[in-house]
């Protein structure tokens, strides 16, 4: 059900005040209303339950641009974080929205696959606590041996902690030194069963990584900048759950991918709800690759990225008609 126009300000005031911690006078200034009105709206928000931020995500799905993007990309749902001058780091807005969307998508008894990286860890860090029953959070790829700020096991267990859920980690490295070692480890019963069970997840949460020196697989030491450069020349377009994908969203045929311990792309596509969250505009090309590969059903992005995606979809459709 759409939010009635009379309720819009109540939801927006609650979002600014409770999610972003703005003072009442700042909310009043942002919405161009009196401080007394803000106080009244916040009281109504508490009385009607709007202060549960998850209900406010509807504001971002009612947006015309979100509807257009869903149709153009054939996605189940799109949420667009608006461009707001009051937020110093726009990516924070995206993470807050994504955390609320994620909580809306999780159901009792769900099995959730979680990848890793700065985006996923930021979502976990801002996520509200929820006491969900019989939920299991599963790590989608192997772990990192060296100290790293956003390790796969950290992302998995932090989200499990926020949901009061069971967390299942991969007790295997992300990447091994040889293809033979990786093949043997995947054949081990515990690892084999974990990998085989990924497709039975109900929901996946991940982002897509870049294929440059800024990539998280480079920063964590899984690949050197030079090795990443070679892969990029060979057609690398993005990183999903530690794996390199090409522009069509398929696993790149390379030694690195054969040495990675991670859920296969085919098993990720079996997951009914695949929530992709992209904070940085620099991830446009990697996101296009992930979309082309069917690795996303639900999407959270910023307004500028949404417009670029819609423009690209329109240009692609025009080119097909011309041909």
């Amino acid at each position: 059900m759409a939010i009635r126009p009379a309720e819009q300000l109540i939801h927006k005031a609650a979002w600014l005040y409770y999610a972003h911690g703005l003072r009442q006078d700042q909310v009043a200034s942002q919405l161009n209303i009196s401080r007394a009105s803000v106080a009244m709206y916040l009281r109504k928000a508490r009385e009607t339950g709007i202060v549960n931020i998850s209900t406010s995500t509807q504001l971002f799905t009612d947006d015309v641009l979100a509807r257009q993007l869903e149709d153009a990309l054939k996605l189940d749902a799109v949420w667009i974080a608006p461009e707001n001058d009051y937020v110093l780091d726009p990516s924070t807005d995206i993470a807050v929205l994504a955390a609320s969307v994620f909580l809306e998508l999780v159901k009792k008894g769900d099995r959730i696959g979680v990848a890793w990286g700065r985006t996923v860890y930021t979502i976990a860090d801002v996520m509200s606590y929820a006491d969900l029953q019989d939920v299991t959070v599963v790590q989608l790829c192997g772990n990192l041996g060296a100290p790293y700020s956003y390790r796969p096991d950290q992302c998995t267990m932090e989200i499990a902690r926020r949901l009061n859920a069971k967390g299942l980690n991969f007790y295997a490295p992300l990447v091994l030194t040889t293809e033979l070692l990786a093949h043997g480890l995947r054949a081990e019963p515990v690892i084999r069963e974990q990998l085989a069970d990924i497709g039975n997840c109900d929901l996946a949460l991940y982002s897509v990584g870049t294929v440059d020196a800024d990539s998280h697989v480079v920063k964590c030491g899984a690949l050197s900048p030079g090795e990443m450069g070679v892969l990029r020349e060979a057609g690398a377009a993005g990183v999903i759950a530690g794996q390199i994908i090409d522009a069509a969203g398929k696993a790149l045929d390379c030694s690195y991918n054969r040495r990675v311990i991670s859920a296969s792309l085919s098993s990720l596509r079996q997951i009914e709800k695949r929530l992709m969250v992209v904070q940085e505009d620099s991830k446009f090309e990697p996101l296009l690759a992930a979309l082309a590969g069917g690795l996303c059903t639900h999407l959270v992005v910023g307004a500028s990225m949404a417009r670029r995606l819609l423009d690209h979809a329109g240009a692609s459709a025009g080119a097909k008609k011309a041909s």
Side-chain angles (χ1 to χ4, degrees):
M1 182 187 300
I3 299 173
R4 295 191 300 271
E7 298 175 333
Q8 290 279 339
L9 281 176
I10 298 176
H11 282 256
K12 288 180 179 178
W15 178 262
L16 296 176
Y17 184 78
Y18 290 103
H20 291 291
L22 269 64
R23 301 189 309 271
Q24 290 190 19
D25 61 323
Q26 292 174 313
V27 175
S29 176
Q30 179 66 29
L31 299 180
N32 197 27
I33 57 178
S34 69
R35 184 169 178 174
S37 294
V38 172
M40 179 185 67
Y41 291 150
L42 293 178
R43 184 177 69 252
K44 287 185 177 180
R46 290 192 297 271
E47 292 170 352
T48 58
I50 290 173
V51 292
N52 180 352
I53 299 302
S54 64
T55 63
S56 292
T57 62
Q58 189 176 343
L59 285 169
F60 307 99
T61 57
D62 284 341
D63 187 270
V64 173
L65 179 57
R67 300 286 70 69
Q68 292 173 330
L69 204 52
E70 285 175 4
D71 292 340
L73 301 179
K74 296 179 173 55
L75 297 178
D76 292 342
V78 173
W79 293 263
I80 300 173
E83 296 170 336
N84 293 313
D85 294 336
Y86 61 87
V87 178
L88 294 177
D89 182 2
S91 65
T92 302
D93 236 13
I94 297 172
V96 171
L97 175 57
S100 297
V101 168
F102 175 77
L103 290 175
E104 285 185 350
L105 293 175
V106 178
K107 306 301 179 186
K108 177 182 177 181
D110 273 358
R111 190 176 183 88
I112 304 164
V114 173
W116 61 297
R118 187 177 73 89
T119 298
V120 174
Y121 194 81
T122 302
I123 292 169
D125 193 46
V126 301
M127 188 179 295
S128 300
Y129 287 88
D131 190 7
L132 300 178
Q133 297 181 349
D134 302 321
V135 170
T136 303
V137 182
V138 179
Q139 188 174 320
L140 290 178
C141 59
N143 210 14
L144 305 166
Y148 185 63
S149 300
Y150 318 111
R151 294 200 321 261
D153 60 330
Q154 289 178 319
C155 293
T156 301
M157 297 314 292
E158 182 59 26
I159 289 179
R161 190 173 73 88
R162 299 281 172 145
L163 301 180
N164 195 24
K166 179 182 179 182
L168 292 180
N169 287 132
F170 258 127
Y171 293 104
L174 172 66
V175 59
L176 280 82
T177 54
T178 70
E179 296 178 27
L180 184 62
L181 277 174
H183 179 76
L185 188 54
R186 289 192 207 99
E188 286 293 319
V190 173
I191 302 299
R192 185 179 66 242
E193 290 172 12
Q194 280 188 277
L195 290 172
D197 206 30
I198 294 296
N200 294 323
C201 287
D202 304 283
L203 169 65
L205 171 65
Y206 44 48
S207 186
V208 58
T210 58
V211 287
D212 52 26
D214 233 11
S215 174
H216 51 283
V217 293
V218 172
K219 288 186 173 180
C220 77
L223 283 170
S224 70
E227 289 170 330
M228 180 60 88
V230 171
L231 290 175
R232 191 166 58 249
E233 290 178 2
V239 184
I240 294 284
Q243 297 177 79
I244 306 294
I245 60 173
D246 62 18
K250 298 178 181 178
L252 189 70
D253 183 13
C254 62
S255 176
Y256 168 81
N257 275 346
R258 291 189 289 272
R259 292 184 289 114
V260 163
I261 305 298
S262 178
S264 68
L265 298 185
S266 60
S267 66
L268 294 180
R269 294 187 189 98
Q270 291 174 24
I271 300 173
E272 181 183 4
K273 292 176 288 188
R274 304 181 290 280
L275 175 60
M276 181 161 290
V277 183
V278 176
Q279 293 179 292
E280 303 92 340
D281 286 345
S282 61
K283 290 184 175 181
F284 180 67
E285 297 295 339
L287 178 54
L288 288 180
L291 291 167
L295 295 165
C296 171
T297 59
H298 297 66
L299 178 65
V300 178
V301 292
S304 61
M305 177 68 86
R307 288 191 293 269
R308 289 181 70 187
L309 288 171
L310 192 59
D311 289 343
H312 181 271
S316 298
K320 288 180 179 179
K321 287 182 180 179
S323 62

